[in-house]
């Protein structure tokens, strides 16, 4: 097995583990996500994510430029990756670091959370998609799609926990701000730029 295939396989295998945890939460009564305090689920989840991240970077390094996309794609990818990273960092800095990793905390509704209930996830989706284009690798693009898939599922697993934790305050917030991006996001962004 080549190093590229080994890295790619490790990425797929660790992603499958994340899917098991998230889908286990969605389809059963057991709550694996969000992990809450530093439980075994917390360590399992973040170990799998760490392995995935290392595998993604290794696959990128080993398969860089193998897809042969038009020259504009990697340039656009860098722009998307930077924008997604900035959005992720903005969302993460708005809350305390332990809360960014699923440890229970406060309900945030200001800053980027006034535009989307999940700015870090939106940043991840945009960032990893841009990274795949920038690297110009089909294997990295496959890993990016797998990553986006689990990121799209995470809020659905978190929302029952958030409703139980914050009750009506979360329901009011969810009615006002979209899960990812919507018309309300664009209106608020335009109003913020205009003022």
């Amino acid at each position: 097995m080549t190093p590229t295939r080994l890295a790619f396989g490790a990425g797929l295998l660790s992603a499958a583990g994340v899917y098991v945890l998230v889908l286990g939460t969605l389809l059963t009564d057991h709550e694996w996500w969000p992990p809450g305090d530093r439980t075994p689920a917390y360590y399992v989840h973040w170990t799998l994510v760490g392995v995935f991240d290392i595998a993604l970077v290794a696959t990128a390094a080993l398969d860089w430029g193998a897809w042969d996309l038009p020259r504009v794609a990697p340039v656009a990818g860098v722009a998307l990756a930077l924008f997604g990273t900035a959005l992720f960092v903005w969302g993460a800095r708005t809350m305390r670091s332990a809360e960014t990793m699923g440890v229970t905390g406060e309900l945030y509704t200001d800053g980027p959370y006034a535009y989307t209930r999940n700015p870090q996830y939106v940043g991840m989706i945009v960032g990893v998609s841009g990274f795949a284009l920038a690297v110009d690798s089909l294997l990295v693009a496959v890993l990016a799609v797998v990553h986006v898939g689990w990121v799209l599922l995470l809020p659905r697993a978190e929302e029952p926990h958030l409703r139980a934790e914050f009750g009506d305050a979360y329901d009011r917030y969810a009615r006002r701000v979209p899960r990812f991006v919507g018309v309300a996001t664009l209106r608020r962004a335009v109003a913020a730029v205009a003022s």
Side-chain angles (χ1 to χ4, degrees):
M1 179 173 279
T2 67
T4 304
R5 287 186 180 187
L6 185 62
F8 179 70
L12 290 179
L13 191 59
S14 57
V18 174
Y19 273 97
V20 166
L21 293 176
V22 176
L23 289 172
T25 298
L26 289 169
L27 301 174
T28 69
D29 291 335
H30 191 66
E31 189 175 287
W32 286 94
W33 184 262
D37 292 323
R38 287 179 170 85
T39 63
Y42 174 91
Y43 291 106
V44 168
H45 174 83
W46 290 112
T47 298
L48 290 168
V49 169
V51 170
F52 178 86
D53 290 346
I54 291 167
L56 178 68
V57 170
T59 302
L62 294 165
D63 200 48
W64 198 285
W67 204 358
D68 200 28
L69 290 172
R71 187 173 212 101
V72 70
V75 173
V78 168
L80 287 171
L82 291 173
F83 177 74
T85 300
L87 182 56
F88 176 86
V89 169
W90 185 26
R93 290 181 67 108
T94 301
M95 60 173 49
R96 288 175 285 216
S97 62
E99 291 169 318
T100 67
M101 297 183 76
V103 176
T104 303
E106 300 173 28
L107 177 62
Y108 291 88
T109 61
D110 295 328
Y113 295 90
Y115 302 96
T116 171
R117 296 195 312 264
N118 298 286
Q120 293 177 71
Y121 294 157
V122 173
M124 283 182 200
I125 290 166
V126 173
V128 77
S129 300
F131 180 72
L133 286 174
V135 169
D136 187 16
S137 162
L138 179 59
L139 296 178
V140 172
V142 169
L143 291 176
V145 167
V146 169
H147 185 267
V148 167
W150 97 54
V151 170
L152 290 172
L153 291 174
L154 287 175
R156 287 164 176 79
E158 291 173 355
E159 288 169 1
H161 171 79
L162 292 169
R163 282 193 171 85
E165 183 83 14
F166 301 111
D168 290 339
Y170 182 78
D171 287 333
R172 285 190 302 275
Y173 173 60
R175 283 192 296 271
R176 191 176 78 249
V177 178
R179 179 180 287 139
F180 291 110
V181 176
V183 174
T185 305
L186 301 175
R187 281 192 208 133
R188 282 188 182 86
V190 169
V193 170
S195 59

